[in-house]
Structures are given as structure tokens and as C-alpha cells.
Amino acid sequence: MFSDPAAAIYSWLSQLDDAGIHDHNRDTLEARPDASAKRKRQAHVEMTTPPSSGPEPPAHPSPKKRKVGDGDGDNVDPDATPRSDRSYATSLSRPTVTSLPERVPLSFPSASSATSDSQDRASDRGSRSSTSPVKKTPDLCRLEKPVVFASLEPNPLKNQLPQDAHQLYSDIFTATKFPRGIYPQAIRALIEDAWDAMYHPEELYEKLEDPSLHNGFREDDYFDYLPVANLFSGALAGASIRSRVAHAEYYKICAISEGAKHCKVLRRAEASWNAKVHEPLLELAAMRQRASVSCENATSARILPCFLPSLVTGETARGKMVDFVLAPKLETELESAIQAKLAALAAGKKSPTLHVGINQTDYTPLTHFPAAVSVETRVAGGNLEEGLMQLSIWTAAWHKRMEALGVAGKNQARLPTLPLILTHEHQWSLYFAVDRVDKIEVCGPLPIGTTDNLLNIYALLPSLSRLMTWIDRDFRFWFDRFFGSL
């Protein structure tokens, strides 16, 4: 073939397809945007050289072999063979392909986070842009009426809790430390069967001869809330009303226990715990005592901006909603009298905020009943300190509302001690918000029970029932006296 290696290489190079070289260069330039841009800029200043008419062109010429100029006809070579520039026309008709930015996947918030965000936005609107980010409980000592915290002393009745909280603390402490009569005698067989005949001391069962179990008891007290009690009217021969209700209550508590267990295992959100465990348990405690107490879901009850507690810096504390508010139900005549007094106070002091209702919120159900006990619930991963802070801000706002009504202040008698409940999944704890006139001292916690099984729910109910009695008796008495003095 070729004796000279250089001649062989030269012959091989002369037979290469220029299109392959140009395609390779084009791919390289597309991979290097800076080089591609540089080539485009050079295309405006470099003159395109037409192919010569000498040798026969390749069988399949590349459509992009020939460089495209800027369309300026002044630089066209007059000696070039005229031909139609299809590649140039094609390039004009085709859209320019550009590299698209990498698509970022959209992220959607979870249901619990969306609910929390909506509450935060509502709170932000209520507390305006001047709110201070109070993130920890020690920050509450910077309020104009500071909120401080203290653990319960071994004997808090001696020097820590005021007189108006002594009876309530004693009743609940006794119910939790020395439980008695927590199981009805009528369901003794069911209790023992549920726990494989585990021994339970006799004092844990109610005494049948106790007259307090029957006096004033009526079917209507329970049958509206526990209609299943009617099923036992003929099933138990000679069954008393108390026995029928005890069986119905047993199955109600079984349902609450199952709901609590599933909420824990499935890691359900706070709203599910409230609907399946906390609210039914609070309502059952009120029905047990036949107390005229309303259990209101307060997750939509925002604190009015005018009642948010202020910091010493002039800023306003950010307030969130609590989960439940327990309040005494008022007679229609008393409620009408209260609304009339609120309207008169608002007109006399020319302050429309005095007429929004009796509490620190304009949430309609809570404009009619005075808030007595506030409940904040938390689930797995929830911040207990934040829950306690929400209860404290809610209570401080209630104090500010009472000051606006002329009930509290430096020259007024102190406000009653308010019980606060904080739950963390199964665990229930009680705090006492004490008015020290110049500050609010939150004392606690006092563990009052759990909802992790059937027997523990029975043990928790007496403490909750005593709270209902305090609301219906002691707090109602204070409220009636206070409004009578306005």
C-alpha cells in the first residue's frame, strides 16, 4: 500500500467525514455553554467559506457542516456556487433548545403541621406585628404582671397555696394517694374478670349502703350521655338504676381506654386525642357529679389583642389557644343580667372591649360562661414547657380581662386560684395559678392519673369529678358574688 507511514496517515485523514468532526465539536460546545457562547459570538465576525466545486462532496453531508453567519449579505463571496441554504432555513424554523433548570420537588405540609401553622397565623393576626417572641417560661417573668413557677412543697397548705385552694388540693391529693370507692360494686365481676381475678382491696369498691350514691340520682342525669344504659333495663333482673348506669359507664370507659391505646400506638395527632380520649373523659366526669359544667373545645378561642399580657418593654406577648375550657353553666336570667351589666360598663367607660363577653376571648361559646379550668393537651414529641407557657399566657390574659372589668388590680381583692390541667398523652397533671396581686405564681405539678388502661381511668375519674364539683360550687359562688358587686 504505502511505503511511507506519513503518506498513509495523510491519505486516511483526507477520507474522514467532516460531519463526524463537526458533530463532535458541536456536542463538546453544547456541553460547554461558555464555549458555545464564544462560538456564536465568533459566528458574527467570521466569514463562512463555501465548499469548492472541485471534488465530489460526501454522499451524506452534514446539515450543520456549514457555519451560519448573521445573515449580512455584504460578506458573501461572489465566486461561490449559488445554492439554497436549507440548513440555515431549518435553523431559523427550529426553536432554540436551552437547558432547563433542574426541577425541585414540591413539599406539602402534614395535616398536623398545617393545623399548627393556621393557628399560629391566627394568633399572629391577633397579636399583631409588635408581639414579642416569648419562647420559654422564664421569659414570662418580664410581663407587667409576671408569671413565675414553683414546685409544690411537701405541705403546700401550710405556706404556699392560699385558703381558697385548700379544700380542692386536699380532695384531689387524697383521691390520688389514697383511692377509695373507685369501682362500683355492680361491676365487680367485670373488673375482676378484666384483670384475671387480680386482687383488689375491698376499699377500692363503693359501699352499697352509702346513701350518697342514691340520693338525688335520676335516670335523666345519665341517659342523655349514656343511652346504652337503657339496654340494661331488662337484661338484669331487678337491676337498679345505679346498676344499669354502672354497666353503661363501664363500657363507656372501655371505649375511652381503647381509644387512648390506639392513639398511642398509631401516634395520632393532638386533635384525635382530644376527640377520642380527653373530651369524652371530661364530659363523663361532669356527668358523674351531675354538675352543671360546660366542657368547651377552645382550639378556636383566640385571645383578643386588647387582653394579651404586655411585657415591661412595651411589647405584647404572643398568645395561643388552649384545648379545653371548663366553665359553669349559667341560668338564662343570670346570663341576661351579665350581658346587660357588660353593656352598661362599656357605655359608661366608653370602651367597646368591655362588651365582648365575660372572658378574654370573643369565641361565642365562651362569651356566655366564665372560664374556670383551662386544659392544654400534648402528644408525643410535644413540648411540655410550651404547653405550660400557653396555659400561663391564657391565665394572664384572663387576669387582664378581670382588671378591665374592675374586679382585680392593686386596690382590689385578689382573684381566685385557678386550676390548670396539662396532659401529655396518657399522663394528667394539675397546676394551681395563684394570684399574688403583683404576680401570678403557677404551682405544680400534681400528678392526678393516667389513661393507659381501664383501671387507671377509673382511678383518674374521682380527681376530675372533684374538679367539676369545685367549678359548680366554689367558682360559681365567687362569680355570682363578684357580678353582684358590679
Side-chain angles (χ1 to χ4, degrees), residues 33-34 36 50 89 115 131 134 139 146 173 202 239-240 263-264 281 299 301 310 314 342 363 413 417 464:
D34 54 343
S36 178
T115 303
T131 57
V134 178
D139 298 335
F173 181 83
E202 191 65 28
S240 64
C263 285
K264 174 71 173 181
L281 191 56
T299 54
S310 302
L342 290 175
Y363 181 56
T417 301
L464 297 180

Coordinates of all heavy atoms in Angstrom, one line a residue, residues 33-34 36 50 89 115 131 134 139 146 173 202 239-240 263-264 281 299 301 310 314 342 363 413 417 464:
P33 N -21.2 25.4 27.9 CA -22.0 26.6 27.5 C -21.1 27.8 27.2 O -21.4 28.6 26.3 CB -22.9 26.9 28.7 CG -23.0 25.6 29.4 CD -21.7 24.9 29.2
D34 N -20.0 28.0 27.9 CA -19.2 29.1 27.7 C -18.5 29.0 26.3 O -18.4 30.0 25.6 CB -18.1 29.2 28.8 CG -17.3 27.9 28.9 OD1 -17.8 26.9 28.4 OD2 -16.2 28.0 29.5
S36 N -19.8 27.4 23.7 CA -20.8 27.6 22.7 C -21.1 29.0 22.5 O -21.3 29.5 21.4 CB -22.1 26.8 23.2 OG -23.1 27.0 22.3
P50 N -17.6 28.9 1.5 CA -18.5 27.9 0.8 C -17.6 26.8 0.3 O -16.4 26.9 0.1 CB -19.1 28.7 -0.4 CG -18.1 29.8 -0.7 CD -17.5 30.2 0.6
A89 N -32.1 27.8 6.8 CA -33.6 28.0 6.9 C -34.2 27.1 8.0 O -35.0 27.5 8.7 CB -34.3 27.7 5.5
T115 N -52.3 22.4 60.5 CA -53.2 22.9 61.6 C -52.5 23.9 62.5 O -52.9 24.9 62.9 CB -53.8 21.8 62.4 OG1 -54.5 20.9 61.5 CG2 -54.8 22.3 63.4
T131 N -45.7 41.7 68.5 CA -45.6 40.7 69.5 C -44.2 40.3 69.8 O -43.4 40.3 68.9 CB -46.5 39.5 69.1 OG1 -46.0 39.0 67.9 CG2 -47.9 39.8 69.1
V134 N -41.8 35.3 72.9 CA -41.6 34.7 74.2 C -41.6 33.2 74.0 O -42.6 32.6 73.8 CB -42.7 35.1 75.3 CG1 -42.4 34.4 76.6 CG2 -42.7 36.6 75.4
D139 N -39.2 33.6 80.4 CA -39.5 34.9 79.7 C -40.7 35.5 80.3 O -40.9 36.8 80.1 CB -39.6 34.7 78.2 CG -38.3 34.2 77.6 OD1 -37.2 34.4 78.2 OD2 -38.3 33.6 76.5
P146 N -45.9 39.7 86.2 CA -45.1 38.5 85.9 C -45.8 37.2 86.2 O -46.6 37.1 87.2 CB -43.9 38.7 86.7 CG -43.9 40.2 87.1 CD -45.3 40.5 87.2
F173 N -55.6 15.4 96.3 CA -54.4 14.7 96.9 C -54.8 13.4 97.5 O -54.2 12.3 97.3 CB -53.7 15.6 97.9 CG -52.5 14.9 98.5 CD1 -51.2 15.0 97.8 CD2 -52.5 14.2 99.7 CE1 -50.1 14.4 98.4 CE2 -51.4 13.6 100.3 CZ -50.2 13.7 99.6
E202 N -60.7 -4.2 99.3 CA -62.1 -4.0 99.4 C -62.5 -2.5 99.4 O -63.5 -2.1 98.9 CB -62.6 -4.6 100.7 CG -64.1 -4.7 100.8 CD -64.8 -5.6 99.7 OE1 -64.1 -6.6 99.3 OE2 -65.9 -5.3 99.4
A239 N -82.5 -5.1 88.3 CA -81.4 -4.1 88.3 C -81.9 -2.8 88.7 O -82.9 -2.3 88.2 CB -80.7 -4.1 87.0
S240 N -81.2 -2.1 89.6 CA -81.5 -0.7 90.0 C -80.9 0.2 88.9 O -80.2 -0.2 88.0 CB -80.9 -0.4 91.3 OG -79.4 -0.5 91.2
C263 N -54.6 5.6 70.1 CA -53.9 6.9 69.8 C -52.4 6.9 70.1 O -51.6 7.4 69.4 CB -54.5 8.0 70.7 SG -56.2 8.6 70.1
K264 N -52.1 6.1 71.1 CA -50.7 6.0 71.5 C -49.9 5.1 70.5 O -48.8 5.5 70.0 CB -50.6 5.3 72.9 CG -49.1 5.0 73.3 CD -48.3 6.2 73.6 CE -47.0 5.8 74.2 NZ -46.1 7.0 74.6
L281 N -63.7 11.9 78.4 CA -63.4 11.7 79.8 C -63.9 12.9 80.6 O -64.4 12.7 81.7 CB -61.9 11.5 79.9 CG -61.4 11.0 81.3 CD1 -62.2 9.7 81.7 CD2 -59.9 10.7 81.2
T299 N -60.0 25.3 71.0 CA -58.9 25.4 70.0 C -59.1 26.5 69.0 O -58.2 26.8 68.2 CB -58.7 24.1 69.2 OG1 -60.0 23.6 68.7 CG2 -58.2 23.0 70.2
A301 N -60.6 29.5 70.2 CA -60.8 30.6 71.0 C -59.5 31.4 71.2 O -58.7 31.2 72.1 CB -61.3 30.2 72.4
S310 N -48.9 42.3 78.5 CA -47.9 43.2 78.0 C -46.6 42.9 78.7 O -46.6 42.6 79.9 CB -48.2 44.6 78.1 OG -49.4 44.9 77.4
G314 N -42.9 47.1 76.7 CA -43.9 47.7 75.9 C -44.5 46.8 74.8 O -45.5 47.1 74.2
L342 N -72.5 44.2 81.3 CA -71.3 44.4 80.4 C -71.6 45.6 79.5 O -70.7 46.4 79.2 CB -71.0 43.1 79.6 CG -70.4 42.0 80.4 CD1 -70.3 40.7 79.5 CD2 -69.0 42.3 81.0
Y363 N -64.7 34.2 71.3 CA -65.2 32.9 70.8 C -66.6 32.7 71.4 O -66.7 32.7 72.7 CB -64.3 31.7 71.2 CG -64.8 30.4 70.7 CD1 -65.0 30.1 69.4 CD2 -64.9 29.4 71.7 CE1 -65.5 28.9 69.0 CE2 -65.4 28.1 71.3 CZ -65.6 27.9 69.9 OH -66.1 26.6 69.5
A413 N -59.5 43.1 95.6 CA -59.2 41.8 96.2 C -58.6 40.9 95.1 O -58.9 41.0 93.9 CB -60.5 41.2 96.8
T417 N -57.8 31.3 93.0 CA -56.8 30.4 92.5 C -57.4 29.5 91.4 O -58.5 28.9 91.7 CB -56.2 29.5 93.6 OG1 -55.6 30.4 94.6 CG2 -55.2 28.6 93.1
L464 N -61.0 14.2 88.6 CA -61.7 15.1 87.6 C -63.1 15.4 88.2 O -63.6 16.6 88.0 CB -61.8 14.4 86.3 CG -60.5 14.1 85.6 CD1 -60.7 13.4 84.2 CD2 -59.7 15.4 85.4

